[in-house]
């Protein structure tokens, strides 16, 4: 497939481009919304003027400006409404994006340093050096003779080497699978966010027009709260990713300190990294709920319930997969934050 050859960052950028390219459709919808809002403004003004005249009261002009202000927002919806809201919220996204980028860069740097120290530590152990180095393996093979004991040792070495290489391939495959699922969960949230924002933006003028009518005034505040809540999915997602990256950085720093000890022999299972990938996959499904804590939007309630149900199912599955290593990981996390 073509998408597999595209970097994950480019996919997220494509969603930003898609949003920008769909915004001109707001102008097309504004034409329909102006007609709806015009009829609503006529009834809105006529009803209040007639009510004041029937009671022989002076006409309060100030409330009559409401439909005209809404009509002005509809006419210049991409500039006045979307431009203002996006202009206020985009610095939040930029700040969180730079935060997660820095944390990810530091994590990759420490991971490379840890991998190099692990290799050096394995090479220091004469019983395991031949597993990670072909030169050490060939040197040890060349040092053996052809006696029965040496042949038996040679067979055991080939067997241990094959088992070690197979285990490394399985661990690498599982790690890549979790990374794929982690990135897919992030892309899923971003795709849904972009879809919802595009729908709210295109149909926003119609929501403003309907809010002119009596009894539908709450449509305006509901639309605004939903738009802001869904817009905040991206910064919340970035914050979640930066928190996970920071925790891994602290654990990598602890591992690096231990690997500097010449007597320390590392465990190359990468179980902690896999556990955090599982936590990250589950955590991405809680982002809509966390965003609703920032600004309450009742419109996405049923979706939030489904996401939470999916998150609980994923939690149970993740607990089953990670149960064996959970105790060891918990102990290491406690040591990190002591």
């Amino acid at each position: 497939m073509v998408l597999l050859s595209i970097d994950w960052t480019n996919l997220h950028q494509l969603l930003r481009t898609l949003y920008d390219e769909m915004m001109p459709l707001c102008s097309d919808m504004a034409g329909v919304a102006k007609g709806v809002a015009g009829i609503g403004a006529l009834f809105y003004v006529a009803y209040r003027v007639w009510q004041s005249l029937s009671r022989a009261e002076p006409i309060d002009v100030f409330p009559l400006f409401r439909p005209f202000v809404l009509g002005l927002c509809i006419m210049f919806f991409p500039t006045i409404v979307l431009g203002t809201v996006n202009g206020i919220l985009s610095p939040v996204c930029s700040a969180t994006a730079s935060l997660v980028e820095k944390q990810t860069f530091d994590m990759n740097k420490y991971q490379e340093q840890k991998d190099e120290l692990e290799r050096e530590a394995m090479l220091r152990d004469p019983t395991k050096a031949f597993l990670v180095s072909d030169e050490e393996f060939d040197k040890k093979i060349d040092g053996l003779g052809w006696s029965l004991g040496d042949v038996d040792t040679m067979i055991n070495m080939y067997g241990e080497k094959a088992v070690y290489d197979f285990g490394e391939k399985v661990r690498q495959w599982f790690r890549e699978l979790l990374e794929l699922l982690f990135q897919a969960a992030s892309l899923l949230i971003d795709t849904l966010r972009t879809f919802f924002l595009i729908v709210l933006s295109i149909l926003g003028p119609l929501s403003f027009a309907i809010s002119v009518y009596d009894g539908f005034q709450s449509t305006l505040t509901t639309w605004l709260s939903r738009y802001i809540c869904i817009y905040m999915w991206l910064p919340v997602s970035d914050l979640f990713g930066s928190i996970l990256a920071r925790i891994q950085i602290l654990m990598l720093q602890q591992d690096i300190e231990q690997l500097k000890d010449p007597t320390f022999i590392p465990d190359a299972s990468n179980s902690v990294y896999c556990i955090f990938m599982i936590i990250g996959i589950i955590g991405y499904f809680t982002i809509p709920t966390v965003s609703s804590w920032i600004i309450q939007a009742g419109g996405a309630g049923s979706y939030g319930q489904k996401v939470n149900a999916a998150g609980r199912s994923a939690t149970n599955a993740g607990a089953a997969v990670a149960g064996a290593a959970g105790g060891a990981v918990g102990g290491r996390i406690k040591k990190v934050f002591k």
Side-chain angles (χ1 to χ4, degrees), residues 98-108 241-243 245-247 249:
S98 62
L99 178 64
V100 71
E101 183 178 356
K102 182 180 183 303
Q103 295 295 329
T104 303
F105 175 78
D106 292 341
M107 183 182 66
N108 293 334
S242 64
I243 290 172
R246 187 58 188 172
I247 293 175
I249 287 174

Side-chain angles (χ1 to χ4, degrees), residues 41-61 63-64 68:
L42 179 63
F43 284 105
Y44 183 91
V45 174
Y47 172 74
R48 279 158 178 78
V49 171
W50 174 81
Q51 188 179 45
S52 298
L53 292 175
S54 65
R55 295 175 180 176
E57 297 175 350
I59 299 174
D60 189 1
V61 180
L64 302 182
F68 297 101

Side-chain angles (χ1 to χ4, degrees), residues 292-304:
S292 66
W293 296 346
I294 301 173
I295 179 169
Q296 185 65 37
S302 59
Y303 169 74

Side-chain angles (χ1 to χ4, degrees), residues 160-173:
E160 291 180 16
K161 179 71 171 174
V163 171
Y164 178 82
D165 291 341
F166 178 75
E168 284 295 307
K169 290 180 180 179
V170 170
R171 284 190 288 270
Q172 182 65 25
W173 174 83

